[in-house]
Amino acid sequence: MISMTEDFCSLPLPQKLVDAIAASQLPGLGDGPANPAIVDWISGNRLQDPQGKPHDRDAAACCDSGLWLLAGDLDRSHSISQDIHTADGSFWHGIMHRREHDFGNAKYWFRNVGTHPAFETLAEAATPLVTDQTASLIADDRWDPYAMVDLCQRAVRSGGDLQSQCQQLAWLEWQVLFAANFRYAFMD
């Protein structure tokens, strides 16, 4: 069972999806792990507001991309995020390329993100998790996505404690970005 942030838990998500996320394994730094319960939920359901539609279609598509990423299906996540021409779409696209170990391409997509509102939130939320090994991740009270790419690249090569730390940080990143996209899509 993975831990979820208070902010993420406050989202009005369908209970079956929350249960599937809570029961899943911590997302890896590569392809896996596959999360069949999330795949089952996504395959048969759509996120929507009480009126049955999103307020912001791009943000809703970002949520779909993020859910496929969490489900472990990088190809589906990629096919969605590459067609979203916003900073959020580029953010998901960058995360997906980082997970497929295409680190240079991940940095390209993070350059397309520019300065993202989530960077401050991520820096604040990640501060308690940052260690000497991961200190480069936060600069001037902002999340540095390029440092995250570099840390994940090192972690993939070395494994161990750094890999575990990067998984925790990537899970935090996923929650912060998903929560922001969900609010834009269905709550604003």
Side-chain angles (χ1 to χ4, degrees):
M1 186 158 172
I2 58 178
S3 64
M4 292 182 268
T5 65
E6 187 176 318
D7 185 48
F8 182 80
C9 289
S10 72
L11 297 174
L13 294 171
Q15 191 58 47
K16 284 185 99 173
L17 176 59
V18 171
D19 293 344
I21 292 170
S24 66
Q25 296 178 37
L26 189 65
L29 299 180
D31 283 345
N35 290 304
I38 297 172
V39 171
D40 288 346
W41 190 90
I42 302 168
S43 298
N45 299 281
R46 306 275 351 134
L47 291 171
Q48 57 190 17
D49 72 2
Q51 288 77 39
K53 60 183 178 184
H55 303 288
D56 181 320
R57 290 189 191 282
D58 285 336
C62 285
C63 289
D64 290 342
S65 178
L67 286 172
W68 283 113
L69 193 64
L70 186 61
D73 192 330
L74 302 185
D75 289 336
R76 282 203 178 154
S77 176
H78 185 248
S79 69
I80 295 168
S81 66
Q82 71 182 354
D83 290 332
I84 305 168
H85 305 289
T86 66
D88 291 317
S90 293
F91 205 139
W92 287 113
H93 202 159
I95 293 170
M96 189 284 311
H97 280 294
R98 188 181 70 213
R99 283 203 42 197
E100 71 175 3
H101 302 166
D102 186 355
F103 300 110
N105 205 3
K107 285 184 177 182
Y108 167 83
W109 285 102
F110 284 119
R111 279 192 298 277
N112 287 336
V113 170
T115 301
H116 196 281
F119 290 163
E120 284 184 47
T121 305
L122 277 165
E124 183 179 324
T127 296
L129 301 175
V130 170
T131 66
D132 289 343
Q133 287 190 86
T134 58
S136 63
L137 190 57
I138 299 173
D140 298 324
D141 296 324
R142 290 194 181 279
W143 177 265
D144 183 341
Y146 308 107
M148 183 64 173
V149 171
D150 293 340
L151 288 168
C152 289
Q153 187 173 13
R154 272 196 359 244
V156 165
R157 290 182 183 145
S158 66
D161 191 43
L162 181 59
Q163 183 172 345
S164 176
Q165 289 176 41
C166 285
Q167 281 183 265
Q168 289 289 336
L169 291 162
W171 172 230
L172 177 65
E173 176 187 48
W174 186 94
Q175 291 178 84
V176 167
L177 187 58
F178 184 89
N181 289 157
F182 186 87
R183 284 188 180 89
Y184 297 146
F186 304 108
M187 297 173 70
D188 288 343

